[in-house]
Amino acid sequence: MSSTARIPLEHPDTIITRAVRWWSKRKFGAVLEPGLALMHHRRILMSMSRFEMGVEHWRSLDAGLKDLAIASVSARIGCSWCIDFGYYLSRSHGMEVAKLEQLTQWRTSDVYSPLERRVLEYAEAMTATPPEVTDEMVEGLRKDLTNEQLVELTAMISLENMRSRTNSALGLTSQGFKDHCEVPVG
């Protein structure tokens, strides 16, 4: 468990804590520390969990574009827990290692398509405080995305801002998920 957490991650052994731990281990192979932090307010934990389960059914936007946007937000905010977990999820979705490794140099890297660059630019602009989204950015995205996909992208970026800012504020750090990725050699 994270030694830098600003809130205790230990909880009494109750039926609810056992259920949360069981579900998390079953789904991700480990108990997610953000869940342990949110267990201090069960209504928030349950509301967030239901919402996240619903997000899993948002499928109009390509998973790779979502993963890039999420990774960009995590990196921009500096949430090491989110970067670690996002790397794990992105790799499980088939994201190329180079795209994750070159994320901070996306403007000069040759591993991104023009659409991926527009998504990364949009994610950064939405994450800035105040947001720096322009009409031109949105029009550029609309050349390749439907309105439904643009709304989904926007919602995913907003959601990752909430996740990353919450986890950072609570002092949650890398949980070692990246270490469990099978990265091809050579």
Side-chain angles (χ1 to χ4, degrees), residues 74 78-85 168 172-175:
S74 300
C79 176
S80 68
W81 193 93
C82 301
I83 292 167
D84 175 49
F85 189 66
S168 292
L172 302 177
T173 58
S174 174
Q175 203 173 326

Side-chain angles (χ1 to χ4, degrees), residues 2-186:
S2 177
S3 61
T4 61
R6 295 183 178 115
I7 189 165
L9 300 178
E10 297 80 25
H11 297 277
D13 187 31
T14 66
I15 194 159
I16 293 173
T17 57
R18 285 192 301 272
V20 168
R21 288 175 185 279
W22 173 84
W23 179 85
S24 186
K25 282 182 181 178
R26 182 171 175 256
K27 184 151 178 93
F28 303 108
V31 178
L32 303 184
E33 290 181 359
L36 293 174
L38 294 179
M39 283 184 69
H40 290 287
H41 194 302
R42 301 278 166 82
R43 286 182 187 232
I44 291 175
L45 171 69
M46 298 310 292
S47 295
M48 296 293 294
S49 297
R50 281 190 303 269
F51 181 70
E52 290 283 0
M53 286 180 207
V55 169
E56 290 179 4
H57 298 286
W58 298 355
R59 294 196 179 109
S60 70
L61 184 65
D62 175 74
L65 294 176
K66 281 194 266 197
D67 287 342
L68 278 178
I70 289 168
S72 175
V73 171
S74 300
R76 190 85 165 166
I77 291 172
C79 176
S80 68
W81 193 93
C82 301
I83 292 167
D84 175 49
F85 189 66
Y87 187 98
Y88 163 78
L89 287 180
S90 296
R91 290 295 297 136
S92 70
H93 297 151
M95 174 81 57
E96 296 172 35
V97 173
K99 288 185 180 185
L100 294 166
E101 289 176 344
Q102 296 179 38
L103 191 63
T104 58
Q105 301 110 359
W106 67 264
R107 286 176 176 82
T108 57
S109 173
D110 61 0
V111 300
Y112 303 102
S113 71
L115 175 57
E116 289 170 333
R117 289 178 194 284
R118 287 193 297 275
V119 165
L120 290 166
E121 179 184 39
Y122 187 62
E124 283 188 2
M126 277 188 65
T127 303
T129 303
E132 299 171 350
V133 174
T134 66
D135 292 342
E136 293 78 22
M137 283 179 199
V138 175
E139 282 307 310
L141 287 167
R142 292 186 72 215
K143 290 177 184 174
D144 292 300
L145 302 178
T146 66
N147 289 331
E148 180 182 25
Q149 291 168 324
L150 179 60
V151 168
E152 186 171 325
L153 174 63
T154 303
M156 288 305 304
I157 293 168
S158 296
L159 174 57
E160 188 55 35
N161 265 274
M162 182 182 72
R163 292 171 179 152
S164 291
R165 292 176 190 278
T166 299
N167 292 341
S168 292
L170 294 176
L172 302 177
T173 58
S174 174
Q175 203 173 326
F177 283 97
K178 183 179 176 184
D179 300 337
H180 301 290
C181 295
E182 292 186 24
V183 181
V185 178

